Amino acid sequence: MPTNSIASIATSLPPIELVSWLNAEGSLTAMLEEKAGQPLRVERTFEGYRLLTLQQKRQLGLQGSALNRPLLAWIREVLLYGNDEQPWVGAQSIFPLSSLKGKARRLQQLKGTPIGYVLFKRRRTVPNQRFVRQTSEGWQRQTRYDWYGRLLLISETFCRHFCPVILKNVLFLYTQRKN
């Protein structure tokens, strides 16, 4: 029997200082760089081909028999660093092979470039569908983008170190206003 207690709901809510980051529209890269006061440092932890899981296929919006077929994708996993030694965000970008055609092929050649530089180069926002959930690594937002007719899935997990960084800035601003 599912529990409907307020305690169980409250523990599944993100910290208040993280809500605006999880729901932000536009380039998360630009927001993080503004907060850091410098360009992000990108550390690639994996880049290559993998078969997608059933959950990833569903998140990409696949249905019916497409869920049962193997689907190969280009996967890029990175850690994003702001202005300190601890990563702020762990990100995974999933590009189904069917999406890597034409100009979109350059998404396989990002190297140390944040994907936000490419996705938001010409427009402020791109059509998307977002899911927010808590994982063992931290709070995560998964966004499905339709980038010029190409489906992409980007998961961004805010590392536990990031919340104290936000809170420290909020407290600093609060004390500045009081003085």
Side-chain angles (χ1 to χ4, degrees), residues 45-53 56-57 70-77 91-97:
T45 57
F46 177 82
E47 199 166 30
Y49 294 103
R50 282 192 192 148
L51 287 174
L52 294 182
T53 66
Q56 290 167 330
K57 289 185 233 178
L71 181 60
L72 197 59
W74 181 259
I75 310 280
R76 178 177 185 245
E77 296 173 352
Q92 180 188 64
S93 302
I94 297 176
F95 313 109
L97 292 188

Side-chain angles (χ1 to χ4, degrees), residues 14-28 31 35 130 132 141 158 162 166 170:
I16 192 72
E17 64 270 13
L18 196 55
V19 171
S20 63
W21 292 89
L22 290 166
N23 294 315
E25 293 296 323
S27 174
L28 181 63
M31 291 173 56
K35 177 169 184 41
R130 176 156 305 143
V132 174
R141 65 185 218 165
F158 292 88
F162 187 67
I166 298 172
V170 169

Side-chain angles (χ1 to χ4, degrees), residues 17-166:
E17 64 270 13
L18 196 55
V19 171
S20 63
W21 292 89
L22 290 166
N23 294 315
E25 293 296 323
S27 174
L28 181 63
T29 300
M31 291 173 56
L32 290 169
E33 287 184 342
E34 183 178 332
K35 177 169 184 41
Q38 64 186 37
L40 295 178
R41 181 168 59 90
V42 178
E43 178 185 317
R44 290 180 288 169
T45 57
F46 177 82
E47 199 166 30
Y49 294 103
R50 282 192 192 148
L51 287 174
L52 294 182
T53 66
L54 179 61
Q55 180 182 357
Q56 290 167 330
K57 289 185 233 178
R58 285 185 176 139
Q59 290 165 331
L60 281 164
L62 300 177
Q63 298 176 348
S65 63
L67 292 172
N68 298 324
R69 289 189 295 245
L71 181 60
L72 197 59
W74 181 259
I75 310 280
R76 178 177 185 245
E77 296 173 352
V78 300
L79 293 173
L80 302 175
Y81 292 82
N83 56 4
D84 58 26
E85 295 302 312
Q86 297 292 320
W88 286 3
V89 174
Q92 180 188 64
S93 302
I94 297 176
F95 313 109
L97 292 188
S98 59
S99 293
L100 292 172
K101 295 180 179 167
K103 291 182 181 181
R105 275 197 220 141
R106 68 181 175 194
L107 295 173
Q108 287 180 284
Q109 309 300 322
L110 292 173
K111 298 184 173 126
T113 303
I115 192 167
Y117 288 179
V118 176
L119 286 183
F120 297 95
K121 184 177 182 175
R122 302 233 187 273
R123 8 180 175 164
R124 191 171 178 284
T125 60
V126 292
N128 67 70
Q129 182 176 10
R130 176 156 305 143
F131 308 93
V132 174
R133 67 186 185 124
Q134 187 173 19
T135 70
S136 60
E137 288 84 34
W139 282 91
Q140 180 182 81
R141 65 185 218 165
Q142 295 178 316
T143 310
R144 182 176 68 207
Y145 291 100
D146 181 343
W147 186 65
Y148 298 105
R150 309 281 190 233
L151 285 181
L152 317 170
L153 182 64
I154 299 177
S155 300
E156 296 148 323
T157 304
F158 292 88
C159 300
R160 299 198 190 288
H161 173 75
F162 187 67
C163 280
V165 169
I166 298 172

